[in-house]
Amino acid sequence: MNTAKNGMKYVSDVRFWILLFFVIRLYGITFPPLEVGHNWRQTTVAMVSRNFLEVDANILYPRVDIGGEKTGITGMEFPVFNYLIYGAAQVFGYQHWYGRFINLVVSSFGLYFFYLLIRKYLEEKTAFYATLILGVSIWFQFSRKIMPDTFSMSLVIASLYYGTYFLEQKKNQWVNLMAFSILFLLGVLSKLPSGYLLVLLVLFLPNTTVSWRKKIVFGALSLLVLMPVYLWYFKWVPRLVEEFGFWHFFMGISFSQGVQELMGDMPRTLSRFYDTALKFSGFIAFLIGLFFMFKNRQSFLKWIIGLSLLLFSIVIMKAGLNFSKHNYYIIPWVPVMALTAGYGLAQLKNLKYTYFILAFIMVEGIGNQHSDFIIKPEVEFMINLEPELDAISSKEDLFFINSGDYPTVMYFAHRKGWVGTNAQIQNPRHQEEMKSNGLKYILILKNRFGTTVDLPDLTSIKDTPDYTVYKIQ
């Protein structure tokens, strides 16, 4: 009897589930960033981290390996996440997977702060269900990728938690205020769209229990915190691009163009909400939450959804086709959807139905992301690409790789140079231009990331089933 009681005690504790999700995602944590989904994005982050270690540790000058003969310095998100990877590499030596582990730890704490924040204002069971649903959403896979998306959102969610405590409590006011400021600054610097959640603190404006002095101090400090964000993204990033001549970072498009692109790809755009975010069962729970929200006249939740969706719509329109094309663009709004879904499940009277739906959401959520834990055999050749190239070339030699826009192969080659298409390397003028800028080798991929192409004027110096290397004479 006591064993069963203790078992129920653990299962009903959100920390048990957060720890369980953490342990599950430790499987393959040391895998190189070669899973099918977003290996290109992960290797870009890893490139910058490795270059901090090997080239220059100045955080203001992040650099990638695909800038050709240029330095590779370019505008991008402020490299908080990259710098943590660099810090780990300074202590332990460089390994691919540090970013996975750092993100997993921070994003797990993010889940707990999400739970604590909801529990402050709604029922504990709403917070519990919402946290489990967020844990198995798209958050599940991206919290172990070498990408700053859930990392950034976790910092912002934690900052809101401390911000609300500053506004509502008299104890440790300055500690809470500083925690809010630092976490919010680092979170938004890491990923600009995450900052839209700050709008939720507008809900405190009509709150008469919060003094106007606190509101003014909090508002002024929030604006002050946003200043470095503005300077980085709208002043420093353009300056890096202009000064070093390499464009890499997407800063959005006009609203009119964004709307036009989204309307032209409406089915995939909508699928980001009903499929990508929480999967189908989670989206049904979200709809249940919306139903009860209106039925119960839950104005607090209405304001949260309305304000967040209003601001997030700006992010969507500025992203345009990128929103429908890349599934991780939905991540900033997934916590709001999980909150609504959790609220919906908490309103069901029959616990059997609640647990059945919750279990189905968790099975579907995790089950649909199992491929993220697999490295397919056809890409494993890249793991040994660096030592194979070391036998025939120096790390200072510039390469061209026919991987299109994908930097993945260049990262594993541990080289610098250009990535492009077969048409580009077959173009004599383009080839001569790269030669004049120091091109030494051409690596032609045959199966993955590229297709074989004949270069009759060049002699291959290494030929494998996966790639051929040509040396420029």
Side-chain angles (χ1 to χ4, degrees), residues 222-243:
S222 297
L223 291 175
L224 189 63
V225 166
L226 288 173
M227 279 303 297
V229 177
Y230 169 78
L231 291 173
W232 176 264
Y233 282 100
F234 299 99
K235 296 296 181 182
W236 190 249
V237 165
R239 178 181 167 181
L240 290 179
V241 173
E242 183 179 354
E243 183 176 346

Short mmCIF file of all heavy atoms in Angstrom, two decimals, residues 222-243:
data_model
loop_
_atom_site.label_atom_id
_atom_site.label_comp_id
_atom_site.label_asym_id
_atom_site.label_seq_id
_atom_site.Cartn_x
_atom_site.Cartn_y
_atom_site.Cartn_z
N SER A 222 12.72 47.59 -18.12
CA SER A 222 12.46 46.74 -19.28
C SER A 222 12.92 47.42 -20.56
O SER A 222 13.54 46.79 -21.43
CB SER A 222 10.96 46.42 -19.38
OG SER A 222 10.53 45.68 -18.26
N LEU A 223 12.64 48.71 -20.69
CA LEU A 223 13.10 49.45 -21.86
C LEU A 223 14.62 49.52 -21.90
O LEU A 223 15.23 49.42 -22.97
CB LEU A 223 12.51 50.87 -21.85
CG LEU A 223 11.00 50.97 -22.09
CD1 LEU A 223 10.52 52.41 -21.92
CD2 LEU A 223 10.65 50.47 -23.49
N LEU A 224 15.22 49.69 -20.73
CA LEU A 224 16.68 49.74 -20.64
C LEU A 224 17.28 48.41 -21.08
O LEU A 224 18.29 48.37 -21.79
CB LEU A 224 17.10 50.08 -19.21
CG LEU A 224 18.59 50.38 -18.99
CD1 LEU A 224 19.00 51.62 -19.76
CD2 LEU A 224 18.87 50.56 -17.50
N VAL A 225 16.66 47.30 -20.66
CA VAL A 225 17.13 45.97 -21.02
C VAL A 225 17.02 45.75 -22.53
O VAL A 225 17.87 45.07 -23.14
CB VAL A 225 16.32 44.90 -20.26
CG1 VAL A 225 16.55 43.52 -20.85
CG2 VAL A 225 16.72 44.89 -18.78
N LEU A 226 15.99 46.32 -23.15
CA LEU A 226 15.79 46.14 -24.58
C LEU A 226 16.78 46.95 -25.42
O LEU A 226 16.93 46.67 -26.61
CB LEU A 226 14.35 46.53 -24.97
CG LEU A 226 13.27 45.55 -24.51
CD1 LEU A 226 11.90 46.13 -24.80
CD2 LEU A 226 13.43 44.19 -25.18
N MET A 227 17.45 47.90 -24.82
CA MET A 227 18.39 48.73 -25.58
C MET A 227 19.55 47.92 -26.16
O MET A 227 19.86 48.05 -27.36
CB MET A 227 18.92 49.88 -24.71
CG MET A 227 17.98 51.07 -24.63
SD MET A 227 17.57 51.75 -26.26
CE MET A 227 19.19 52.28 -26.82
N PRO A 228 20.24 47.06 -25.37
CA PRO A 228 21.30 46.23 -25.97
C PRO A 228 20.77 45.32 -27.07
O PRO A 228 21.49 45.03 -28.03
CB PRO A 228 21.82 45.42 -24.78
CG PRO A 228 21.43 46.19 -23.57
CD PRO A 228 20.14 46.86 -23.92
N VAL A 229 19.52 44.86 -26.92
CA VAL A 229 18.91 44.02 -27.95
C VAL A 229 18.78 44.81 -29.25
O VAL A 229 19.13 44.33 -30.33
CB VAL A 229 17.53 43.51 -27.49
CG1 VAL A 229 16.86 42.70 -28.60
CG2 VAL A 229 17.67 42.68 -26.21
N TYR A 230 18.26 46.03 -29.12
CA TYR A 230 18.12 46.89 -30.29
C TYR A 230 19.48 47.17 -30.92
O TYR A 230 19.64 47.08 -32.15
CB TYR A 230 17.44 48.20 -29.90
CG TYR A 230 17.48 49.25 -30.98
CD1 TYR A 230 16.61 49.21 -32.07
CD2 TYR A 230 18.43 50.29 -30.94
CE1 TYR A 230 16.67 50.16 -33.07
CE2 TYR A 230 18.49 51.24 -31.93
CZ TYR A 230 17.61 51.17 -33.00
OH TYR A 230 17.69 52.12 -34.00
N LEU A 231 20.46 47.51 -30.11
CA LEU A 231 21.78 47.86 -30.64
C LEU A 231 22.44 46.67 -31.35
O LEU A 231 23.08 46.85 -32.39
CB LEU A 231 22.69 48.35 -29.51
CG LEU A 231 22.30 49.70 -28.89
CD1 LEU A 231 23.16 50.00 -27.67
CD2 LEU A 231 22.43 50.83 -29.91
N TRP A 232 22.25 45.47 -30.80
CA TRP A 232 22.87 44.31 -31.43
C TRP A 232 22.22 44.00 -32.77
O TRP A 232 22.90 43.89 -33.79
CB TRP A 232 22.78 43.08 -30.52
CG TRP A 232 23.30 41.85 -31.19
CD1 TRP A 232 22.58 40.89 -31.85
CD2 TRP A 232 24.68 41.47 -31.34
NE1 TRP A 232 23.41 39.93 -32.38
CE2 TRP A 232 24.70 40.25 -32.09
CE3 TRP A 232 25.89 42.02 -30.91
CZ2 TRP A 232 25.89 39.60 -32.40
CZ3 TRP A 232 27.07 41.36 -31.22
CH2 TRP A 232 27.06 40.18 -31.96
N TYR A 233 20.88 43.84 -32.76
CA TYR A 233 20.20 43.36 -33.95
C TYR A 233 20.04 44.42 -35.04
O TYR A 233 20.05 44.08 -36.23
CB TYR A 233 18.82 42.80 -33.59
CG TYR A 233 18.90 41.42 -33.00
CD1 TYR A 233 18.84 41.23 -31.61
CD2 TYR A 233 19.07 40.30 -33.81
CE1 TYR A 233 18.93 39.96 -31.07
CE2 TYR A 233 19.16 39.03 -33.27
CZ TYR A 233 19.09 38.87 -31.90
OH TYR A 233 19.19 37.60 -31.38
N PHE A 234 19.89 45.67 -34.67
CA PHE A 234 19.58 46.68 -35.67
C PHE A 234 20.73 47.65 -35.96
O PHE A 234 20.63 48.47 -36.87
CB PHE A 234 18.32 47.45 -35.25
CG PHE A 234 17.12 46.55 -35.14
CD1 PHE A 234 16.71 46.07 -33.90
CD2 PHE A 234 16.43 46.15 -36.27
CE1 PHE A 234 15.62 45.22 -33.79
CE2 PHE A 234 15.34 45.30 -36.17
CZ PHE A 234 14.93 44.84 -34.94
N LYS A 235 21.80 47.54 -35.19
CA LYS A 235 22.98 48.37 -35.45
C LYS A 235 24.22 47.51 -35.72
O LYS A 235 24.88 47.68 -36.74
CB LYS A 235 23.24 49.32 -34.26
CG LYS A 235 22.14 50.34 -34.02
CD LYS A 235 22.00 51.31 -35.20
CE LYS A 235 20.92 52.35 -34.95
NZ LYS A 235 20.76 53.27 -36.11
N TRP A 236 24.52 46.60 -34.77
CA TRP A 236 25.76 45.84 -34.88
C TRP A 236 25.70 44.78 -35.97
O TRP A 236 26.66 44.62 -36.73
CB TRP A 236 26.10 45.20 -33.55
CG TRP A 236 27.47 44.60 -33.50
CD1 TRP A 236 27.81 43.29 -33.43
CD2 TRP A 236 28.73 45.31 -33.53
NE1 TRP A 236 29.17 43.12 -33.40
CE2 TRP A 236 29.76 44.35 -33.46
CE3 TRP A 236 29.07 46.66 -33.60
CZ2 TRP A 236 31.11 44.70 -33.47
CZ3 TRP A 236 30.41 47.02 -33.61
CH2 TRP A 236 31.41 46.03 -33.54
N VAL A 237 24.59 44.04 -36.06
CA VAL A 237 24.46 43.00 -37.09
C VAL A 237 24.62 43.58 -38.50
O VAL A 237 25.41 43.07 -39.30
CB VAL A 237 23.13 42.23 -36.95
CG1 VAL A 237 22.83 41.42 -38.20
CG2 VAL A 237 23.19 41.30 -35.73
N PRO A 238 23.91 44.67 -38.86
CA PRO A 238 24.13 45.27 -40.19
C PRO A 238 25.56 45.75 -40.39
O PRO A 238 26.09 45.66 -41.50
CB PRO A 238 23.14 46.45 -40.22
CG PRO A 238 22.09 46.10 -39.22
CD PRO A 238 22.81 45.35 -38.14
N ARG A 239 26.18 46.25 -39.32
CA ARG A 239 27.55 46.73 -39.44
C ARG A 239 28.52 45.58 -39.74
O ARG A 239 29.42 45.72 -40.57
CB ARG A 239 27.97 47.44 -38.14
CG ARG A 239 29.41 47.92 -38.17
CD ARG A 239 29.82 48.58 -36.89
NE ARG A 239 31.26 48.76 -36.83
CZ ARG A 239 31.91 49.30 -35.81
NH1 ARG A 239 31.24 49.72 -34.75
NH2 ARG A 239 33.22 49.41 -35.83
N LEU A 240 28.32 44.43 -39.06
CA LEU A 240 29.18 43.27 -39.33
C LEU A 240 29.05 42.81 -40.77
O LEU A 240 30.04 42.47 -41.42
CB LEU A 240 28.82 42.12 -38.38
CG LEU A 240 29.17 42.29 -36.90
CD1 LEU A 240 28.72 41.08 -36.10
CD2 LEU A 240 30.67 42.53 -36.70
N VAL A 241 27.81 42.78 -41.26
CA VAL A 241 27.58 42.36 -42.65
C VAL A 241 28.26 43.31 -43.62
O VAL A 241 28.92 42.89 -44.58
CB VAL A 241 26.07 42.27 -42.94
CG1 VAL A 241 25.82 42.00 -44.41
CG2 VAL A 241 25.42 41.18 -42.08
N GLU A 242 28.12 44.59 -43.36
CA GLU A 242 28.70 45.59 -44.26
C GLU A 242 30.22 45.58 -44.20
O GLU A 242 30.90 45.64 -45.23
CB GLU A 242 28.18 46.99 -43.89
CG GLU A 242 28.67 48.08 -44.80
CD GLU A 242 28.13 49.45 -44.43
OE1 GLU A 242 27.27 49.54 -43.52
OE2 GLU A 242 28.57 50.45 -45.03
N GLU A 243 30.76 45.49 -43.00
CA GLU A 243 32.22 45.58 -42.84
C GLU A 243 32.94 44.33 -43.33
O GLU A 243 34.01 44.42 -43.95
CB GLU A 243 32.55 45.82 -41.36
CG GLU A 243 34.04 46.00 -41.09
CD GLU A 243 34.34 46.34 -39.64
OE1 GLU A 243 33.39 46.71 -38.89
OE2 GLU A 243 35.52 46.24 -39.25
#
